[in-house]
């Protein structure tokens, strides 16, 4: 036989391949993207001051383009801890009726023409995304000359929304690392650094962004407080009922258990 | 009875009773219906599932009153009219959402109970088969209902599933169009899904559950010992190991209901979306026909089937593979012909195989929860093979087997698994390295099962002697 044949040479590469493939894991063919870290945030639906500031900015700025169709202005005063008159005097209804749903000032078809995509409705945006995601999104727009709007976002690559916070927050530049986008190597923005100063300090702007997130969370979870309060009672009721029904069960089954025990002894 | 003068109320009852078999049904089906004494916790899921069915009908009724089956209005009728404008609408909607998931948890546990204690064996084969149809109807009901909120995942999930039929050669596309009533999922689809969800399927489901119960009461319940209680009656014809269903099991079920509601309402009040498993996060966005999400998932209860579907590179074969799991379930009475019903008296390896069955099913769900990468697809294919193997090896345990039989089973099963891989490779479905990453999973499972059967023959032996009557090994004693 030929001297070229050797078991190591013929099987070896396969074994190596087997070994390599067993431990190479997921990275070979996955559609992964580098995930930028989300900025942590704590919000409280009892923080009426935050909710009011959030409502003010949302209803006066965001609602220029975004709708909150699921919510009516009339639902907001109890959420913000205000009465109807104070709400109308301080925050207002943008010229709409008090019981109207919150609709954007711009028409959606025009926005589609301007930006290529209609701004999403904000009613359940805090159900779709976590508060941390929304907070990071709002605070991490950066200058990107390659985009038609001149800006981009760290957690929402190639976002259609322009950097409407530039006047308040100032412009920002991206922190770029080498990473993956949809599985291919790419330069990925994972954070932002300040570029120019805005009308607010960074701490002020971060607080405003947090207030907006708090308000959006309250809008998406309108029954949160009621849920928590009612839940305790209902669950308490069923715990009590479980104890009672268990006692009833023991009373009824005591005879059966005795019969069983008798049967055990007979064996 | 006739000696005692009847009260006025009693006479009114008698008037009805002579015309409608109220007391007869009460007696024969409840107070004089003998149930085995030793039901354990596995036996509460059936009645809990019935309770959830009633709850879904009740909450669904109120939802249907406010819901608008129209693409322009559907999403907002749920988000605004039901959840915000109607009093307690949010509670009813969340009960319906959590109820759907609870239904599947209970039905899966109920089915596994049947598998554990051999409740599909003679004389309960038909009862089992009807149960499979109940499950299929439930799956259809859940799928149809998922489109109604008209969120992104509702829309694209339905688009994917109605696309399955196009896998059929020639007639596939016309049938898909006929099902949707349109070229894509749209107004006609939403209208018919609504009608099917609130009218057709609930009626079918109720009818099937009724037939399931009638079949159950015809043959009587099995029990954790798998001993037929009706074969050991006392002089009056009452089974020695039987107790009346009412009041004994009604009070026990009442306790089970109370405990179930603690968990159920914890979800309803504190986690109505079940961490995104009961209500997908993408469904918080209205359906957008122009924007396909990058990752389309079914809800958790269909995830294992989704992994099977994704695992096979051909659409038609994928659907066949996925349909095959229902066929295997239905064929369980044919596969497992061992006379011993209960897992308590079966061999060690049979017990292990029965444990691998739900574990591989859950594993499949975990895989399908990941992204649709090629790695996950191949991984899904190989775990599907393990899941199917747990059914197909059941005939091996029908009687005591020799080492040689175990060896033959091992070789045949491994050959089947490896030829599926060879076939996948021959059509260039996946690269070798990807196949090799995971094809040790079914191979190792079969090797362990039959290898241990050869090494330790004692582990393939069932209990030598079955008890003649129920044992006292219940969960409360």
């Amino acid at each position: 036989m030929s001297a070229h044949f050797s078991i190591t040479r013929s099987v070896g590469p396969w074994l190596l391949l087997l070994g390599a493939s067993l431990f190479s894991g997921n990275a070979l063919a996955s559609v992964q993207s580098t995930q930028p870290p989300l900025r942590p945030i704590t919000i409280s639906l009892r923080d009426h001051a935050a909710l009011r500031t959030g409502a003010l900015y949302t209803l006066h700025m965001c609602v220029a383009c975004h709708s909150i169709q699921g919510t009516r202005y009339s639902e907001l005063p109890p959420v913000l801890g205000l009465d109807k008159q104070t709400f109308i005097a301080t925050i207002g209804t943008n010229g709409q009726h008090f019981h109207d749903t919150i609709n954007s000032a711009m028409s959606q078809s025009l926005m589609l023409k301007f930006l290529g995509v209609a701004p999403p409705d904000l009613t359940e945006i805090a159900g779709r995304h976590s508060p941390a995601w929304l907070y990071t999104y709002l605070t991490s727009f950066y200058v990107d000359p390659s985009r038609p709007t001149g800006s981009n976002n760290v957690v929402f690559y190639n976002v259609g929304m322009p950097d409407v916070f530039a006047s308040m927050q100032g412009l920002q530049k991206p922190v770029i690392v080498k990473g993956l986008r949809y599985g291919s190597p790419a330069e990925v923005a994972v954070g932002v650094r300040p570029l120019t100063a805005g009308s607010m300090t960074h701490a002020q702007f971060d607080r405003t962004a947090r207030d907006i997130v708090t308000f959006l969370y309250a809008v998406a979870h309108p029954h949160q407080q009621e849920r928590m309060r009612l839940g305790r009672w209902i669950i308490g009721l069923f715990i009590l009922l479980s104890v009672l029904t268990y006692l009833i069960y023991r009373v009824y089954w005591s005879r059966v258990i005795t019969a069983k025990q008798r049967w055990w002894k007979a064996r | 009875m006739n000696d005692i003068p009847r009260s006025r109320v009693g006479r009114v009852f008698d008037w009805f009773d002579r015309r409608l078999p109220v007391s007869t049904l009460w007696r024969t089906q409840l107070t004089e219906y003998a149930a085995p004494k030793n039901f354990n916790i596995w036996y509460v899921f059936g009645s809990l599932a019935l309770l959830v069915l009633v709850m879904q009908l009740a909450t669904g009724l109120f939802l249907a009153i406010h819901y608008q089956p129209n693409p322009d209005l559907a999403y907002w009728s749920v988000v605004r009219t039901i959840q915000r404008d109607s009093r307690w609408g949010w509670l009813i909607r969340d009960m319906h959402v959590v109820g759907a998931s609870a239904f599947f948890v209970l039905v899966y546990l109920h089915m596994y109970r049947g598998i554990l204690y051999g409740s599909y064996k003679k004389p309960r084969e038909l009862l089992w088969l009807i149960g499979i149809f109940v499950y299929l109807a439930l799956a259809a009901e859940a799928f149809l209902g998922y489109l109604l909120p008209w969120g992104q995942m509702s829309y694209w999930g339905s688009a994917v599933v109605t696309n399955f039929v196009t896998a059929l050669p020639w007639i596939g596309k016309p049938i898909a169009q006929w099902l949707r009533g349109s070229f894509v999922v749209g107004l006609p689809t939403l209208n018919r899904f609504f009608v099917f969800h609130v009218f057709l399927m609930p009626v079918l489901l109720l009818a099937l559950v009724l037939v399931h119960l009638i079949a159950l009461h015809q043959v009587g319940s099995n029990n954790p010992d798998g001993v037929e209680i009706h074969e050991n009656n006392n002089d009056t014809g009452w089974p020695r190991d039987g107790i009346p269903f009412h009041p004994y099991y009604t009070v026990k079920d009442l306790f089970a209901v109370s405990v179930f509601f603690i968990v159920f309402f914890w979800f309803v009040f504190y986690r109505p979306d079940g961490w995104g498993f009961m209500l997908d996060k993408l469904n918080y966005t209205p359906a957008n026909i122009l924007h396909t999400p990058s990752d389309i998932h079914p809800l958790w209860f269909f995830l294992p089937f989704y992994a099977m579907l994704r695992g096979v590179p051909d659409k038609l074969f994928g659907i066949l593979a996925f349909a095959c799991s229902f066929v295997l379930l239905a064929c369980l009475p044919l596969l497992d012909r061992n006379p011993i019903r209960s897992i308590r008296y079966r061999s060690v390896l049979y017990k292990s195989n029965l444990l691998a069955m739900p574990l591989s099913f859950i594993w499949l769900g975990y895989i399908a929860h990941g992204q649709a990468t090629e790695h996950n697809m191949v991984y899904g294919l190989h775990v599907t093979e393990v899941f199917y193997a747990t059914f197909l090896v059941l005939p091996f345990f029908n009687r005591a087997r020799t080492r040689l039989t175990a060896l033959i089973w091992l070789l045949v099963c491994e050959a089947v698994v490896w030829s599926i891989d060879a076939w996948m490779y021959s059509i260039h479905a996946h690269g070798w390295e990807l196949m090799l990453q995971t094809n040790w999973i079914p191979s190792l499972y079969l090797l362990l099962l039959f290898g241990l059967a050869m090494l330790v023959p004692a582990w393939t032996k069932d209990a030598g002697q079955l008890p003649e009557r129920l044992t006292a090994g219940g969960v409360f004693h």
Side-chain angles (χ1 to χ4, degrees):
Chain A
M1 284 296 289
S2 146
H4 296 295
F5 180 81
S6 103
I7 197 92
T8 341
R9 213 179 290 169
S10 57
V11 181
W14 286 109
L15 281 179
L16 269 179
L17 186 63
L18 176 72
S21 58
L22 281 180
F23 297 102
S24 61
N26 223 330
L28 267 179
S30 66
V31 199
Q32 279 177 337
S33 296
T34 305
Q35 297 294 328
L38 296 184
R39 299 184 63 190
I41 175 180
T42 323
I43 56 169
S44 163
L45 295 184
R46 293 202 190 91
D47 187 351
H48 284 149
L51 283 165
R52 286 171 205 165
T53 317
L56 204 63
Y57 278 98
T58 309
L59 296 183
H60 292 177
M61 285 185 68
C62 309
V63 166
C65 305
H66 295 273
S67 289
I68 312 181
Q69 273 192 59
T71 306
R72 298 171 193 281
Y73 287 101
S74 52
E75 289 168 40
L76 296 180
V79 175
L80 309 178
L82 296 173
D83 56 50
K84 183 182 168 184
Q85 275 70 34
T86 325
F87 173 77
I88 291 173
T90 53
I91 295 172
T93 57
N94 292 329
Q96 287 181 273
H97 190 275
F98 183 58
H99 287 288
D100 274 347
T101 56
I102 303 171
N103 294 318
S104 65
M106 293 275 243
S107 97
Q108 296 296 298
S109 52
L110 267 183
M111 296 303 298
L112 189 64
K113 228 179 242 177
F114 294 161
L115 299 171
V117 60
D121 186 276
L122 298 183
T123 313
E124 296 210 298
I125 201 80
R128 172 76 183 85
H129 298 290
S130 68
W133 189 93
L134 287 172
Y135 181 55
T136 317
Y137 172 77
L138 292 179
T139 52
S140 59
F141 278 90
Y142 62 85
V143 173
D144 182 354
S146 71
R147 297 290 301 157
T149 53
S151 60
N152 211 329
N153 193 283
V154 169
V155 286
F156 195 149
Y157 181 62
N158 280 355
V159 66
M161 178 171 153
D163 183 6
V164 296
F165 305 111
S167 66
M168 299 191 282
Q169 192 188 17
L171 293 172
Q172 303 185 104
K173 60 182 176 192
V175 177
I176 303 273
V177 297
K178 284 200 181 347
L180 286 175
R181 183 170 296 125
Y182 307 126
S184 353
E187 295 196 327
V188 183
V190 289
V192 284
R193 289 267 178 279
L195 197 65
T196 61
S199 61
M200 289 182 179
T201 65
H202 275 281
Q204 275 173 335
F205 181 76
D206 283 356
R207 205 159 51 241
T208 309
R210 186 205 64 181
D211 294 349
I212 293 173
V213 174
T214 311
F215 178 71
L216 289 177
Y217 189 87
V219 162
H221 303 84
H223 307 287
Q224 186 88 336
Q225 311 268 45
E226 200 181 353
R227 257 174 208 292
M228 300 290 159
R229 210 174 44 241
L230 202 61
R232 277 201 291 272
W233 284 100
I234 301 286
I235 288 169
L237 176 77
F238 281 110
I239 289 173
L240 188 71
L241 211 60
S242 301
V243 174
L244 286 177
T245 47
Y246 180 71
L247 292 175
I248 295 171
Y249 157 72
R250 289 306 301 224
V251 169
Y252 271 90
W253 276 70
S254 56
R255 273 172 289 173
V256 184
I257 294 164
T258 323
K260 264 191 174 176
Q261 284 161 347
R262 212 180 303 129
W263 176 80
W264 257 121
K265 276 177 197 156
R267 275 173 78 86
Chain B
M1 177 179 154
N2 290 334
D3 303 341
I4 310 162
R6 294 288 272 165
S7 67
R8 189 166 300 206
V9 179
R11 285 203 301 276
V12 172
F13 177 77
D14 289 344
W15 187 89
F16 277 100
D17 202 34
R18 277 192 295 275
R19 288 156 182 84
L20 198 71
V22 184
S23 65
T24 315
L25 273 179
W26 176 265
R27 221 174 45 242
T28 56
Q29 305 305 318
L30 288 167
T31 54
E32 287 173 22
Y33 173 72
K37 279 176 184 176
N38 63 338
F39 280 172
N40 55 20
I41 191 163
W42 285 99
Y43 281 77
V44 301
F45 302 122
S47 43
L48 287 180
L50 191 62
L51 171 80
V52 173
L53 174 62
V54 174
M55 208 158 60
Q56 291 299 83
L57 290 172
T59 50
L61 172 78
F62 286 101
L63 293 177
I65 288 171
H66 294 282
Y67 176 74
Q68 301 285 338
N70 179 314
D72 293 335
L73 305 170
Y75 180 84
W76 294 111
S77 73
V78 174
V79 169
R80 189 167 65 215
T81 316
I82 292 175
Q83 300 212 123
R84 287 169 172 81
D85 283 355
S86 316
R87 189 165 297 231
W88 302 116
W90 59 272
L91 179 61
I92 293 191
R93 202 244 166 155
D94 288 342
M95 278 174 72
H96 203 73
V97 168
V98 178
S101 280
F103 213 154
F104 276 93
V105 172
L106 295 169
V107 163
Y108 281 140
L109 288 170
H110 186 63
M111 285 162 91
Y112 192 54
R113 190 281 318 270
I115 296 174
L116 282 181
Y117 299 129
S119 304
Y120 48 80
K121 288 182 186 175
K122 194 184 169 191
R124 299 183 182 82
E125 304 96 323
L126 191 60
L127 177 62
W128 173 257
L129 203 60
I130 298 163
I132 300 292
F133 282 108
V134 172
Y135 175 71
L136 285 175
L138 178 65
E141 175 73 345
F143 161 67
L144 293 165
Y146 196 43
L147 178 66
L148 305 187
W150 206 250
Q152 265 292 69
M153 201 54 109
S154 299
Y155 182 87
W156 290 100
S158 303
V160 168
V161 176
T162 48
N163 238 331
F164 287 172
V165 233
T166 60
L168 293 171
W170 304 104
I171 47 169
K173 272 198 178 138
I175 288 182
Q177 256 177 44
W178 177 70
L179 282 176
R180 292 176 186 147
S182 173
F183 298 106
V184 289
V185 174
L187 171 72
T189 326
L190 183 57
N191 283 173
R192 65 192 58 192
F193 274 31
F194 176 65
V195 173
F196 294 160
H197 180 76
V198 303
F199 168 67
L200 181 66
M201 293 318 289
V203 170
L204 199 63
L205 206 51
L206 276 176
L208 280 168
V209 168
L210 186 67
V211 175
H212 191 61
L213 282 172
I214 292 172
L216 170 71
H217 281 232
Q218 174 71 14
V219 292
S221 293
N222 185 27
N223 62 71
D225 273 320
V227 177
E228 204 62 75
I229 57 162
H230 291 278
E231 283 170 6
N232 196 337
N233 294 348
N234 63 17
D235 304 335
T236 61
W238 182 264
R240 286 197 169 85
D241 283 331
I243 42 171
F245 186 85
H246 179 75
Y248 291 103
Y249 283 112
T250 38
V251 293
K252 193 173 174 178
D253 283 348
L254 222 52
F255 171 54
V257 167
S258 313
V259 175
F260 166 74
F261 271 149
I262 295 173
V263 182
F264 178 80
F265 280 108
W266 184 84
F267 273 101
V268 168
F269 284 106
Y270 297 105
R271 282 282 174 278
D273 66 343
W275 296 282
F277 279 100
M278 295 183 184
L279 199 62
D280 200 281
K281 290 227 177 294
L282 214 54
N283 245 11
Y284 289 112
T285 317
N288 185 348
I289 191 166
L290 298 175
H291 183 251
T292 315
S294 60
D295 217 7
I296 303 174
H297 276 134
L299 284 182
W300 69 267
F301 37 81
F302 292 142
L303 278 177
F305 300 111
Y306 194 50
M308 295 177 195
L309 197 70
R310 285 203 312 207
V312 182
D314 181 84
K315 194 149 83 169
L316 182 59
F317 278 99
I319 290 160
L320 288 178
F322 144 78
C324 200
S325 52
F326 297 106
V327 177
L328 281 179
L329 270 175
C331 287
L332 215 48
L334 298 174
L335 291 167
D336 177 15
R337 299 180 72 86
N338 190 309
I340 303 173
R341 290 201 187 99
S342 171
I343 189 172
R344 286 184 182 174
Y345 306 106
R346 298 296 297 270
S347 61
V348 174
L349 287 177
Y350 177 86
K351 285 177 183 163
S352 320
N353 184 57
L354 234 49
L355 187 65
M357 200 181 275
L359 287 183
S360 54
F361 194 66
I362 293 166
W363 196 359
L364 279 171
Y366 172 75
I367 294 167
H369 183 60
Q371 283 180 326
T373 59
E374 210 181 351
H375 176 270
N376 272 346
M377 289 177 188
V378 180
Y379 194 21
L381 170 73
H382 288 130
V383 181
T384 305
E385 285 172 355
V386 175
F387 180 67
Y388 283 180
T390 57
F391 283 89
L392 293 170
V393 300
L394 286 175
F396 176 77
F397 298 100
N398 281 348
R399 64 186 83 94
R401 302 288 191 181
T402 59
R403 284 196 168 99
L404 180 67
T405 322
L407 179 68
I408 294 170
W409 269 85
L410 173 66
L411 292 177
V412 171
C413 290
E414 292 281 6
V416 171
V417 166
W418 282 90
S419 35
I420 291 173
D421 275 4
W423 172 50
M424 291 285 154
Y425 181 68
S426 72
I427 58 170
H428 301 286
H430 310 288
W432 264 116
E433 66 278 16
L434 268 174
M435 299 294 278
L436 286 173
Q437 265 180 39
T438 47
N439 75 347
W440 55 271
I441 299 170
S443 301
L444 185 70
Y445 180 69
L446 294 166
L447 191 67
L448 271 176
L449 194 71
F450 294 117
L452 287 172
M454 280 185 280
L455 289 174
V456 197
W459 284 358
T460 60
K461 287 201 174 57
D462 298 321
Q465 206 185 352
L466 285 185
E468 281 174 13
R469 293 192 45 187
L470 300 188
T471 62
V475 78
F476 289 107
H477 316 296

